[in-house]
C-alpha cells in the first residue's frame, strides 16, 4: 500500500482523537460503530413514591403505575420514581451483545425479579448489559428501574457544597436497547491508550512517537464499515503492545475502590442505596473480570446491605471468600481522625473487626482512612492493639502549606508504636484507569529508591459508583507496556506484603500526629454535634460501668443478670456512625444533622435509662437479704479517683437538707449545703469514693468557704482554698493566681476576653478557617448586664454577666468558683446568629513558653507557640480534647472545656474556639442557642502534679445524683475500683464481648512516664489476663507491646511506659 510519511505530530494526534471521538464525526468514525443497532423502549410504566420515601422492591412493584416516557421530567430532589420496563428485543439481534441504555441524569438502580443488578448514574454509567449473547428464548425481559432524584454528589444549588436545591427535576433523556459491538470497543480501548501515551509521555519521548505512528497506521488500515479489516488493525496494535518493560520499572498495585461517604451532601438513608448501587455494579464487573479486586471499608455499610439487600450481600460474600472483594479498615465507619475519644476509636475497631470476622471470617489488616482531616498521634498504638499494623490515607496531599515528605514510611505514634503507612502517590482514591494518573503516581512518589511500588485506587468515589468496565479494560491492557509503569491488579494486602518483605528496611520514619494543613474549622463547626458527641461518649461508658458492676455482684450472689449487651452495642454503633468523617467534623448538609441529633437523642434517653437501671441493680444486690426498701439519694462517681465536689440537689431532695435551719447557716462552715437564689436550688458538698457511690446526707468535715466580694474599684474578688481571682464588669479576669502564690496569670492582659473574627474561607466553607482570619480580631466589650454577684457561698460563689456580640447575637455567662475546686468555671449561653464570623475566647497569659500541651486520645502532645517554620505557622488552629495547658517551670494555666475541640496559641495568647457560622453545605449551621462550659485552672508545679488531667475529667463527668428505691441497709459508701497512681487513668469497665464471666477494664498512662500502678478492686475476680483492644488474650511471652501485669487479689499491678494503653480481662 502506498504511504505518505507525515511528520506533523499535532495533526496526527488530533486525527486519532477524532477517530474515537464520541462528539465529532460519529457518522464515519470508529466510536459511531459502537452501538450499530438500537430501538427505543415503548411501554415504560412509572410510579412515584409518595412523600419522598424510599421503599423496598416488593412495595414499589405493587404501587400504581402510569405511563412514563423519554423526555419526561421527574422530581423533586430526594424523591424516588420506579419504572417498569417491558422489553421486546428484536429476534434478528440473536447472538449479539445487547445493552439497556438509561440516562435520567440522576442515580438509579436496575432490578429484576426482586434482585438488585446494577447501579446507573447519568453519563458516568448509563448502560446495563442485558446479555452478552442473545438467545432466542430471552427476547422478552421485564426490568424495574429505581430512580433516585439526586446525583452522586448531591444537589448543591449552583455549586458542589452549596445547600441542596429542594425543587430540582430530572429529565429522562435516554431509555433504549442497543446492540453493542465488542470488537469495536476493543479497538477503541487500544486507540485510547496509544493516544494517551502520545499525549502524556514527555514531548520528545521515543515511545510516544512509536505510539503515534502505530495509531496512525491503525487508522489507515481500519475501514470502520468493514470489520474484516479489524484483524490487521489489531496486529499493528499488538506489535506495539508486545514490547515489555525492563525489571527496574515501578510497579503500581491497582485496586478497585469506591469511597462512599456514609452521609455528606445526602442523608444516611440515601447512602444505603448508594452502597447497593455501587456494590452491585462491582460484583457484576467481577463476574466478567476475574482479575478485578476491590477494597471496601466501613462495616456499617456492609450491615446496611445485609439488612436491605440480602442477596446482594450473598454475592459479595462469594467474592470476599475468593479474596477479591476485600474488607479493609477494620472500623465501623471511616471516622474522624481527631475528635472521637480514645475509647470511641477502639470501639470503631472492636465493632468493625467483629463484624468482618463474624460475617466473612476476615480480620482486616489495614487501617483505611483515605479522606479524613488529620490523624491523631495515638492512632498507631490503637491500630496495633486492634491487630492492625498498616495504614492508608491520601488526605495529607491536601496540605495547603507544606508538602508531606513521604508516601511510604513508618508512622510512629505517641507511645512509640510503629505502623507501615502508605499514601497512594496519585493523591486520590478515585482514579479512572488513565495513563496520566499512572505517570503522576510514579513521578510524584517521594520514596523513590527506597521503595519501588505504590498503590493506585480506581473507581468513582465520594458519592459511590466504584470501578467501571472502561477502567478495568484500560488497566488490564496497561499491565506491562514498555515506557509505562507496570500495573498489577492486586489487593492492599499484596501491596503491603511486598513492602514489608522487600522494602521496609529502607523506609523513613515520621513521629507524631499527621496534621492536615487544611479543614481546621472542622474542630468547631456544628457545635451541638460535638457537644452531644462528648456527652454521649461519657454516658455510654458510665452506663457500661454501672451495669458491669451490677453483673459482677449478681454473679457473686449467684443471681442471673441480664446485662444489656445488645442495647449498649446498638447505642455505641449510633454514636460511632455519627463520628463519620463528614458528620462529626461538621461538613454535611442540614438533613444529616437532623438525623444525627435524633440518634444522639436516642443514645441519651436510652443510655440514661440503662445507666440508672444498672445502678439500681447494683445497689439492690449490695444488701439483697433485706425487704425494706426506702427512697434513697445516692451520688455516683464513675471516675477512678475519690472526689469531693459540690452537687446540685434537685427539688425533690431530702427535705432535711432544705430545711430553713440550713438556710441561715451560711456562715457556719460545718454546713454542707447552700441555697442559692433565685429559684432556691440546693447545693451540697459531697465526698464520693473512686468508681463508687455515697448515700446522702453525708457527715462532712470542716470546709473553708468560698469568698466573694465586690470592691470599690468595681472588681469582684473571688477566692477559695485553691485560687483567687478578680473579675471586671465585662466578666474578664484581671487577676488570677493559684493559692499561696502572688503570681498573676493575667498580668499581661485580660483573661476571658471574648473575641470575634471574620471567617471567610477560600472555598470549603464549613471546613476551613484560613490563617488570615487572625488579622480581623475584634474584642467583644459591650455589656448588656455588667458583672454582678449571684451566689455568695459558702459552697459556690457566682458572678453573672451578659455581653452584646453584635446586633444579632449575645452571650450570657455565669462565672463560678466552688469550694474545694481548683478551677473557675465559665458556664456560657450564646445566642448566635452570625454570617461567617468566628467566636473565640482569649487568654493572654504571663508565662513564657515555647509550647502548649493539648490533650488527645489517651494522652497529650505539644505544639509550638511560635511561627518559626512553615510547619509551625500552618498550625494556627489545632485540635485538642478536654484540656490544654501552658506552663513555665513550676506554674501554669490550664484551660478545661466540656465540649470544644479547637484551640490556638501564639506567643503568650491562648484561645479556645467557641462557634463558627459557615453557610455551606448547611446554611443554618450553628445558628441558635448554645450552652457550653470552659474553666480556668491556675496551678503550681507541672500540670501532671497539679491534677489537670483529673480535673478535666471531673468537669466533663460531674458527680451524678440519683434517687432510687434501695434496701435500707446498703453501704453508705462503696468503691469498686481504685488506682494508687495519678498517672494512670482507668477509664473503661465493661462486660467482655464473649460470655458473662469476663470483665474488661481499660486504662492508660496519662503523664508520659514509665511507672507502675496498683489497681485495687473490691470485686471477687479470680484471674487477670492481658488483652488486646479486641479482647483477645495475649499469650504470656508476647508482651513486648503490652504492659506487664501481675495479680494478687485485690491488687492488680501494671507496669506502664509513656502513654501505654492497657486492656485487662478480669475473670469472675
Ligand atoms: Zn469522604
Amino acid at each position: 500500500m502506498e504511504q505518505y510519511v507525515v511528520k506533523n505530530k499535532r495533526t496526527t494526534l488530533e486525527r486519532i482523537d477524532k477517530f474515537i471521538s464520541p462528539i465529532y464525526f460519529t457518522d464515519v468514525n470508529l466510536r459511531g460503530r459502537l452501538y450499530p443497532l438500537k430501538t427505543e423502549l415503548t411501554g415504560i410504566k412509572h410510579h412515584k413514591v409518595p412523600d419522598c420515601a424510599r421503599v423496598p422492591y416488593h412495595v414499589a412493584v405493587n404501587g400504581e403505575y402510569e405511563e412514563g416516557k423519554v423526555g419526561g421530567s421527574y422530581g423533586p430532589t430526594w424523591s424516588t420514581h420506579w419504572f417498569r420496563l417491558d422489553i421486546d428485543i428484536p429476534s434478528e439481534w440473536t447472538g449479539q451483545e445487547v445493552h439497556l441504555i438509561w440516562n435520567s441524569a440522576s442515580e438509579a438502580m436496575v432490578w429484576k425479579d426482586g434482585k438488585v443488578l446494577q447501579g446507573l448514574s447519568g453519563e458516568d454509567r448509563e448502560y446495563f448489559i442485558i446479555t452478552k449473547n442473545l438467545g432466542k428464548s430471552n427476547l422478552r425481559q421485564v426490568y424495574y428501574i429505581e430512580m433516585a432524584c439526586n446525583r452522586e454528589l448531591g444537589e448543591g444549588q449552583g455549586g458542589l457544597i452549596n445547600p441542596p436545591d429542594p425543587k430540582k427535576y430530572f429529565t429522562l433523556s435516554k431509555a433504549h436497547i442497543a446492540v453493542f459491538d465488542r470488537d469495536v470497543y476493543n479497538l477503541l480501548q487500544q486507540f485510547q491508550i496509544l493516544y494517551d501515551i502520545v499525549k502524556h509521555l514527555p514531548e520528545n519521548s521515543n515511545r510516544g512517537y512509536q505510539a503515534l505512528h502505530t495509531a496512525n497506521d491503525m487508522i489507515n488500515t481500519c475501514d470502520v464499515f468493514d470489520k474484516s479489516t479489524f484483524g490487521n488493525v489489531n496486529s499493528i496494535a499488538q506489535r506495539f503492545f508486545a514490547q515489555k518493560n525492563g525489571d527496574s520499572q515501578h510497579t503500581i498495585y491497582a485496586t478497585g475502590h469506591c469511597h462512599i461517604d456514609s452521609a455528606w451532601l445526602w442523608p444516611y438513608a440515601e447512602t444505603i442505596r448508594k452502597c447497593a448501587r455501587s456494590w452491585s455494579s462491582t460484583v457484576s464487573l467481577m463476574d466478567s473480570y476475574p482479575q478485578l479486586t476491590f477494597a471496601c471499608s466501613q462495616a456499617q455499610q456492609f450491615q446496611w446491605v445485609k439488612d436491605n439487600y440480602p442477596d446482594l450481600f450473598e454475592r459479595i460474600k462469594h467474592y470476599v471468600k475468593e479474596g477479591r472483594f476485600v474488607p479493609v479498615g477494620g472500623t465501623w465507619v471511616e471516622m474522624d481522625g481527631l475528635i472521637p475519644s480514645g475509647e470511641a476509636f477502639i470501639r470503631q475497631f472492636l465493632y468493625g473487626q467483629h463484624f468482618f470476622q463474624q460475617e466473612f471470617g476476615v480480620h482486616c489488616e489495614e487501617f483505611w482512612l483515605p479522606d479524613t482531616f488529620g490523624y491523631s498521634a495515638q492512632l498507631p498504638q490503637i491500630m496495633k492493639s486492634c491487630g492492625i499494623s498498616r495504614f492508608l490515607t491520601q488526605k495529607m496531599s491536601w496540605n495547603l502549606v507544606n508538602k508531606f515528605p513521604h508516601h511510604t514510611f513508618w508512622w510512629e505514634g505517641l507511645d512509640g508504636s510503629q505502623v507501615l503507612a502508605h499514601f497512594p502517590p496519585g493523591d486520590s482514591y478515585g482514579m479512572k484507569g488513565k495513563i496520566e494518573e499512572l505517570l503522576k503516581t510514579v513521578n510524584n512518589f517521594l520514596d523513590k529508591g527506597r521503595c519501588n511500588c505504590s498503590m493506585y485506587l480506581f473507581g468513582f468515589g465520594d458519592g459511590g459508583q466504584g470501578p467501571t468496565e472502561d477502567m478495568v479494560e484500560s488497566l488490564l491492557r496497561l499491565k506491562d507496556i514498555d515506557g509505562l509503569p507496570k500495573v498489577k491488579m492486586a489487593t492492599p494486602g499484596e501491596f503491603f506484603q511486598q513492602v514489608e518483605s522487600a522494602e521496609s528496611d529502607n523506609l523513613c520514619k515520621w513521629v507524631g500526629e499527621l496534621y492536615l494543613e487544611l479543614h481546621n474549622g472542622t474542630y468547631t463547626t456544628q457545635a451541638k454535634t460535638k457537644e452531644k458527641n462528648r456527652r454521649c461518649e461519657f454516658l455510654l461508658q458510665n452506663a457500661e460501668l454501672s451495669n458491669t458492676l451490677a453483673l459482677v455482684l449478681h454473679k457473686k450472689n449467684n443471681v442471673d443478670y441480664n446485662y444489656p449487651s445488645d442495647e449498649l452495642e446498638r447505642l455505641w454503633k449510633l454514636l460511632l456512625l455519627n463520628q463519620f468523617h463528614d458528620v462529626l467534623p461538621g461538613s454535611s448538609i442540614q438533613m444529616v444533622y437532623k438525623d444525627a441529633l435524633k440518634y444522639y437523642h436516642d443514645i441519651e434517653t436510652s443510655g440514661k435509662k440503662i445507666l440508672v437501671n444498672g445502678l439500681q441493680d447494683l445497689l439492690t444486690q449490695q444488701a439483697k437479704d433485706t425487704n425494706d426498701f426506702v427512697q434513697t439519694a445516692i451520688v455516683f462517681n464513675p471516675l477512678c479517683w475519690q472526689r469531693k465536689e459540690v452537687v446540685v440537689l434537685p427539688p425533690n431532695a431530702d427535705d432535711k437538707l432544705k430545711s430553713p435551719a440550713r438556710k441561715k447557716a451560711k456562715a457556719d462552715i460545718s454546713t454542707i449545703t447552700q441555697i442559692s437564689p433565685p429559684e432556691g436550688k440546693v447545693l451540697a458538698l459531697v465526698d464520693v469514693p473512686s468508681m463508687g457511690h455515697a448515700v446522702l446526707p453525708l457527715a462532712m468535715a470542716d470546709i473553708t468557704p468560698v469568698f466573694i466580694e465586690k470592691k470599690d474599684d468595681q472588681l469582684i474578688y473571688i477566692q477559695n482554698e485553691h485560687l483567687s481571682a478578680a473579675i471586671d464588669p465585662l466578666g474578664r479576669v484581671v487577676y488570677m493566681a493559684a493559692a499561696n502564690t502572688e503570681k498573676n496569670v493575667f498580668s499581661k492582659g485580660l483573661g476571658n476576653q471574648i473575641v470575634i473574627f471574620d471567617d471567610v474561607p477560600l472555598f470549603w466553607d464549613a471546613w476551613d478557617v484560613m490563617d488570615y482570619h487572625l488579622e480581623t480580631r475584634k474584642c467583644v466589650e459591650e455589656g448588656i448586664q455588667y458583672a454582678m454577684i449571684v451566689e455568695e457561698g459558702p459552697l459556690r460563689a457566682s458572678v453573672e454577666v451578659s455581653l452584646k456580640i453584635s446586633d444579632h447575637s449575645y452571650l450570657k455567662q455565669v462565672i463560678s468558683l466552688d469550694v474545694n475546686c481548683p478551677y473557675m468555671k465559665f458556664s456560657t449561653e450564646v445566642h448566635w446568629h452570625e454570617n461567617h464570623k468566628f467566636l473565640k475566647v482569649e487568654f493572654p497569659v504571663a508565662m513564657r513558653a515555647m509550647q502548649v500541651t493539648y490533650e488527645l486520645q489517651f494522652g497529650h502532645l505539644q505544639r509550638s507557640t511560635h511561627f518559626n517554620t512553615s510547619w509551625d505557622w500552618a498550625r494556627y488552629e489545632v485540635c485538642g480534647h478536654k484540656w490544654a495547658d501552658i506552663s513555665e517551670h513550676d506554674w501554669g494555666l490550664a484551660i478545661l472545656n466540656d465540649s470544644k475541640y479547637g484551640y490556638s496559641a501564639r506567643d503568650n495568647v491562648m484561645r479556645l474556639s467557641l462557634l463558627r457560622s459557615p453557610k455551606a453545605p448547611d446554611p443554618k449551621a450553628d445558628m441558635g442557642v448554645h450552652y457550653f462550659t470552659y474553666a480556668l485552672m491556675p496551678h503550681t508545679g507541672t500540670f501532671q502534679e497539679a491534677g489537670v488531667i483529673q480535673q478535666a475529667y471531673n468537669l466533663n463527668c460531674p458527680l451524678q445524683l440519683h434517687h432510687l428505691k434501695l434496701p435500707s441497709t446498703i453501704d453508705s459508701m462503696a468503691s469498686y475500683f481504685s488506682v494508687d497512681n495519678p498517672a494512670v487513668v482507668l477509664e473503661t469497665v465493661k462486660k467482655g464481648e464473649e460470655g458473662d464471666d469476663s470483665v474488661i477494664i481499660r486504662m492508660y498512662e496519662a503523664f508520659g512516664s514509665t511507672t507502675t500502678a496498683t489497681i485495687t478492686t473490691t470485686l471477687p475476680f479470680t484471674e487477670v489476663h492481658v488483652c488486646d483492644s479486641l479482647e483477645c488474650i495475649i499469650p504470656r511471652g508476647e508482651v513486648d507491646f503490652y504492659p506487664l501485669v501481675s495479680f494478687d487479689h485485690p491488687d492488680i499491678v501494671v507496669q506502664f511506659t509513656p502513654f501505654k494503653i492497657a486492656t485487662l480481662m478480669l475473670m469472675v
Side-chain angles (χ1 to χ4, degrees), residues 338 340-342 375-379 414 513 854-861 863 879-883 1004 1059:
L338 296 169
S341 68
Y375 304 88
S376 163
Q378 195 58 288
L379 278 168
L414 200 59
E513 68 178 326
Y854 300 89
E855 191 198 33
L856 78 167
Q857 297 82 3
F858 299 136
H860 54 82
L861 50 60
R863 302 186 184 103
C879 185
H881 281 207
K882 301 186 286 293
W883 58 268
Y1004 68 98
F1059 305 114

Side-chain angles (χ1 to χ4, degrees), residues 259-264 266 298 334 370-373 395 429 462-463 580-582:
H259 186 77
I260 305 180
D261 288 319
S262 288
W264 181 30
W266 53 87
Q298 312 200 62
E334 286 183 17
D371 193 28
T372 294
F373 316 147
K395 202 70 184 182
Y429 46 71
D462 291 331
F580 177 74
H581 68 254
D582 280 308

